[in-house]
Amino acid sequence: MTDHLAGALEGTSAGTSPGVTAAAGFRASGVTAGLKASGKPDLALVVNDGPRQAGAAVFTTNRVVGAPVLWSRQAVTDGVVSAVVLNSGGANVGTGPRGFQDAHATAEKVADALGVSAGDVVVCSTGLIGVPLASERLFAAVAPAVAALGDAAGPDAATAILTTDSVAKTAHVRVETPGGTFTVGGMAKGAGMLAPAMATMLAVLTTDADVDAATADAALRAATAATFDRVDSDGCMSTSDTVTLLASGASGVTPRADVLADAVLRVCASLARQLVADAEGASHDVAVHVHGATTQAAAVAVARAVTRSTLVKAAMYGNDPNWGRIIAQVGTVPEDVAPFDPSALDVTINGLQVCRAGGAHEDPARLDLAAAREVHVTVDLHAGDASATVWTNDLTHDYVHENSAYST
Amino acid sequence: MTDHLAGALEGTSAGTSPGVTAAAGFRASGVTAGLKASGKPDLALVVNDGPRQAGAAVFTTNRVVGAPVLWSRQAVTDGVVSAVVLNSGGANVGTGPRGFQDAHATAEKVADALGVSAGDVVVCSTGLIGVPLASERLFAAVAPAVAALGDAAGPDAATAILTTDSVAKTAHVRVETPGGTFTVGGMAKGAGMLAPAMATMLAVLTTDADVDAATADAALRAATAATFDRVDSDGCMSTSDTVTLLASGASGVTPRADVLADAVLRVCASLARQLVADAEGASHDVAVHVHGATTQAAAVAVARAVTRSTLVKAAMYGNDPNWGRIIAQVGTVPEDVAPFDPSALDVTINGLQVCRAGGAHEDPARLDLAAAREVHVTVDLHAGDASATVWTNDLTHDYVHENSAYST
């Protein structure tokens, strides 16, 4: 799965996006360390060859976090990131002091092989919680991973970080500015709703823009808040979510901060949309748009209340435009969070206004949800002029199946 | 399904509990109005013959509520309730001004037939949202319902309020006091997780204790907060939840407030437990016990975070004691809500300590959850001495099936 975004002035690319190697100054690789029982690739490297090595990252807000998050939080504090090493086949969460030693040693091995400082290596892991990492296998695969590094190998890295994802997710955008062209690329894996315990959302973005860590950090935080944070798989927050942005400066272009932020936002939006689309077994991608809110935060709160409803999600699976369940969820949001008059609520599903002023309006039977992969639910609160969209999937038998038969 | 609770001094009853007609001074009935397509009973009455007609009620906190809730909130404000009329086969929610007229007219018809004031009749409805009530059928069945009233017909009423529930739920307790014996009885229907859109939780409790409305209200609020509010089906709050307590004074006994409160609590606890057990298709009843919290509110917040996790619930369905998913959910609770040290967390499942100090301990493979209907998850936060329990069920294929194929 790839998505090529039109640059501001350039137009859409064609073919497979190179992802993290779309931008100049980066090499990547993806190899098989043997962490996955399937024998599929499970170790990825992304290396920033500079000249600049600015980096920023956003982490899960869960208080229970994996050892890699503990390590990587420290690694990014100085704004310098030389490389990111990512493994699937083990989350290294709930693994105690040994887990932290494993994360630290992974950074050391990668740093030694690359000739950089271990403190400039971000570590990301995804897989089962509570199982020690097969760290000897991981360490042994570092040399092959370094040997495999290539400036067109972004897709290999994107493949090696997959867990239950069915396809690799990559995207990039090239942006022409008066000062020249710069590129932002990226890869992501699985916040798909169908196995979120292992579906730690990991993403690495790269840019050849010549920007400092603070600028990268601001762009990344704004972008994740509006994209990855609004993919509300099943409301289960991972212990390992990590999104990293590396800037190499290799283009020699220093865009305006808002131009960089827009490019990062567009790549994150593409990756987030790909994550929704790859929720295995899901039959619908569901966008909940809330309009007429007093603030954007209120709009997000209402949208989340709807996207987190197992009843709404199960109805979507049944192609049932059950607006009663939708307004019931809207009503659970406290008034101090989102002021609105319950008797003013409108609900539109795929263009048909099924609920007007809190009551039945058009006949839902006119909708044929079975024919649509995307379902767009629009809730108008009629209380202000702020809006927001949160994406989710339907709740399917495959979700129950995958998540009831995972660790055992 | 019945549960007979030991009175404080009496001992456990045997056989089927008469529910709302266990206490003196009450008559009930359950008849078929034709609101349900199945032709099963769908209209229930509970009448308080006094001498006292004290009443209190607790309603859903959802801001989107059914017309019956709007009506009944007003009806109970004066502390006088002569009767409760309950129908299944239609929730009368999202039905606009006509819905309120229907609720009002229902109270009027019942009041006329009983010779009481309409303002003293509580109305409860359960079923689909957004569909007008078949009110003419309901009105026509009021006379037969009044004619069928009997002082042993509690089970008939308990049957007529069912929706997807598989069995009627009734309970009662007789309490001997120095001043004499009084009784609290009750019935409830469906907060089962498997069809919560229609699974409005309705309950009616009756007592022949001679207490005023304020005393009844205090007892009822404390009891619901500790019982019905801690059955966390699927986190989807209904638009119609209503729990009513009627006091007839027919025993002539005025118990101490705490003795009444304890009796009401025990009946509510029994009914709540019966609701969990009747979540159709669920293979496990899951109790999440949180110990070592700084406050009870903190313990409840942590327990709810676990019971609302579709990942934890799906794992339970798979008989998978996946403690990683449990601590990941515990970690989502903000520190200002529940202070604790993530590295101190202990998790015990059905007596086996699978997680100690945030890491793996006993081998989960030693647990055979398939053999147990009840799963007890105990989380020790090691932060204080407060505790709380919240019940839920596992997330099953039947949940998805029922809730994806409901209104259409």
Side-chain angles (χ1 to χ4, degrees):
Chain A
M1 189 179 298
T2 61
D3 193 327
H4 305 283
L5 301 170
L9 302 173
E10 183 200 20
T12 302
S13 313
T16 298
S17 170
V20 291
T21 50
F26 294 94
R27 289 176 297 151
S29 64
V31 300
T32 301
L35 307 172
K36 282 179 178 169
S38 66
K40 291 185 177 175
D42 48 20
L43 184 65
L45 276 182
V46 180
V47 177
N48 182 353
D49 290 321
R52 188 195 268 277
Q53 295 186 315
V58 175
F59 300 97
T60 179
T61 56
N62 202 310
R63 291 161 68 193
V64 173
V65 298
V69 171
L70 293 173
W71 170 264
S72 299
R73 276 182 189 154
Q74 295 305 312
V76 300
T77 49
D78 66 355
V80 179
V81 179
S82 301
V84 183
V85 53
L86 314 94
N87 75 274
S88 49
N92 196 8
V93 177
T95 45
R98 179 188 153 179
F100 190 80
Q101 289 163 15
D102 281 344
H104 182 183
T106 300
E108 292 274 6
K109 304 282 182 193
V110 170
D112 289 351
L114 295 173
V116 302
S117 163
D120 297 334
V121 177
V122 164
V123 180
C124 303
S125 299
T126 178
L128 261 181
I129 296 178
V131 179
L133 206 57
S135 48
E136 292 304 325
R137 291 184 187 182
L138 194 161
F139 301 156
V142 167
V146 170
L149 285 169
D151 61 9
D156 294 346
T159 299
I161 61 174
L162 304 181
T163 52
T164 55
D165 308 63
S166 66
V167 291
K169 289 106 183 156
T170 57
H172 71 277
V173 59
R174 298 196 198 281
V175 182
E176 288 184 19
T177 73
T181 299
F182 77 95
T183 298
V184 177
M187 66 180 185
K189 60 80 52 182
M193 65 172 286
L194 294 179
M198 69 190 311
T200 290
M201 204 285 293
L202 298 182
V204 178
L205 287 93
T206 56
T207 182
D208 49 21
D210 191 15
V211 295
D212 62 17
T215 304
D217 185 73
L220 186 64
R221 282 181 195 284
T224 56
T227 58
F228 295 122
D229 285 354
R230 295 193 190 163
V231 175
D232 212 348
S233 55
D234 59 2
C236 295
M237 185 193 291
S238 159
T239 53
S240 308
D241 292 334
T242 303
V243 183
T244 307
L245 171 61
L246 311 178
S248 70
S251 70
V253 176
T254 302
R256 276 189 357 227
D258 64 316
V259 173
L260 175 73
D262 182 62
V264 173
L265 174 69
R266 289 163 67 194
V267 172
C268 287
S270 171
L271 294 172
R273 186 67 189 80
Q274 292 180 51
L275 293 173
V276 171
D278 194 30
E280 292 160 35
S283 53
H284 291 298
D285 304 341
V286 182
V288 177
H289 312 282
V290 174
H291 298 318
T294 51
T295 63
Q296 190 178 61
V300 170
V302 171
R304 275 200 207 291
V306 176
T307 56
R308 290 194 174 166
S309 164
T310 54
L311 284 175
V312 170
K313 289 154 64 105
M316 292 297 171
Y317 175 53
N319 299 308
D320 175 6
N322 192 323
W323 60 268
R325 293 182 182 176
I326 294 168
I327 64 169
Q329 281 301 116
V330 172
T332 64
V333 180
E335 186 156 16
D336 58 345
V337 173
F340 61 82
D341 173 2
S343 69
L345 294 174
D346 292 342
V347 179
T348 299
I349 301 178
N350 281 6
L352 187 74
Q353 189 174 358
V354 290
C355 170
R356 182 171 188 147
H361 191 55
E362 300 281 355
D363 182 1
R366 290 175 52 195
L367 286 167
D368 179 13
L369 299 187
R373 172 78 193 189
E374 288 191 8
V375 179
H376 290 266
V377 174
T378 303
V379 176
D380 195 330
L381 302 177
H382 292 291
D385 56 10
S387 59
T389 295
V390 175
W391 283 87
T392 189
N393 293 100
D394 51 351
L395 176 60
T396 69
H397 284 295
D398 282 355
Y399 178 92
V400 174
H401 176 73
E402 283 229 17
N403 288 294
S404 63
Y406 173 43
S407 80
T408 53
Chain B
M1 188 180 299
T2 61
D3 193 327
H4 304 281
L5 301 170
L9 301 173
E10 183 199 22
T12 302
S13 313
T16 298
S17 170
V20 291
T21 49
F26 293 94
R27 289 176 297 152
S29 64
V31 300
T32 300
L35 307 172
K36 282 179 177 169
S38 66
K40 290 185 177 175
D42 48 20
L43 184 66
L45 276 181
V46 181
V47 177
N48 182 353
D49 291 321
R52 188 194 268 277
Q53 295 186 316
V58 175
F59 300 97
T60 179
T61 56
N62 202 310
R63 292 162 67 193
V64 173
V65 297
V69 170
L70 293 173
W71 169 264
S72 298
R73 275 183 189 153
Q74 295 305 313
V76 299
T77 49
D78 66 355
V80 179
V81 179
S82 301
V84 183
V85 53
L86 313 94
N87 74 274
S88 50
N92 196 7
V93 177
T95 45
R98 178 187 153 179
F100 190 79
Q101 288 163 16
D102 281 343
H104 182 184
T106 300
E108 292 275 6
K109 304 282 182 193
V110 170
D112 289 351
L114 294 172
V116 301
S117 162
D120 297 335
V121 176
V122 164
V123 179
C124 302
S125 299
T126 178
L128 261 181
I129 296 178
V131 180
L133 205 58
S135 48
E136 292 304 324
R137 291 184 186 180
L138 194 161
F139 301 157
V142 168
V146 169
L149 285 169
D151 62 9
D156 294 346
T159 298
I161 61 175
L162 304 181
T163 53
T164 55
D165 308 62
S166 65
V167 291
K169 289 105 184 155
T170 56
H172 72 278
V173 59
R174 298 195 197 281
V175 182
E176 288 185 19
T177 72
T181 298
F182 76 96
T183 298
V184 177
M187 66 179 185
K189 61 82 50 184
M193 66 174 284
L194 295 179
M198 68 192 309
T200 290
M201 203 284 293
L202 298 182
V204 178
L205 287 92
T206 55
T207 182
D208 49 22
D210 190 14
V211 295
D212 61 18
T215 304
D217 185 73
L220 186 64
R221 282 180 196 285
T224 55
T227 57
F228 296 121
D229 285 354
R230 294 193 190 164
V231 174
D232 212 347
S233 57
D234 59 2
C236 295
M237 185 192 292
S238 159
T239 52
S240 307
D241 292 335
T242 304
V243 182
T244 308
L245 171 60
L246 311 178
S248 70
S251 70
V253 176
T254 302
R256 277 190 354 229
D258 64 315
V259 173
L260 175 72
D262 182 62
V264 172
L265 174 69
R266 290 163 67 195
V267 173
C268 287
S270 170
L271 293 172
R273 186 68 188 78
Q274 293 180 50
L275 292 174
V276 171
D278 194 30
E280 292 159 37
S283 53
H284 291 298
D285 304 341
V286 182
V288 177
H289 312 281
V290 174
H291 297 318
T294 51
T295 63
Q296 190 178 61
V300 170
V302 171
R304 275 199 208 290
V306 176
T307 56
R308 291 193 173 167
S309 164
T310 53
L311 284 175
V312 170
K313 289 153 65 102
M316 293 297 172
Y317 174 53
N319 300 307
D320 175 5
N322 192 322
W323 60 268
R325 293 181 181 177
I326 294 168
I327 64 169
Q329 282 301 117
V330 172
T332 63
V333 180
E335 185 156 17
D336 59 345
V337 173
F340 61 84
D341 173 1
S343 69
L345 293 175
D346 291 343
V347 179
T348 299
I349 301 178
N350 281 6
L352 187 74
Q353 189 174 0
V354 289
C355 170
R356 182 171 187 148
H361 192 55
E362 300 281 356
D363 183 0
R366 291 176 52 196
L367 286 167
D368 180 12
L369 298 187
R373 171 78 193 189
E374 288 192 8
V375 179
H376 291 265
V377 174
T378 303
V379 176
D380 196 329
L381 303 176
H382 292 290
D385 56 10
S387 60
T389 295
V390 175
W391 283 88
T392 190
N393 294 99
D394 51 351
L395 176 60
T396 70
H397 284 295
D398 282 355
Y399 178 92
V400 174
H401 176 73
E402 283 228 17
N403 288 294
S404 63
Y406 173 43
S407 80
T408 53

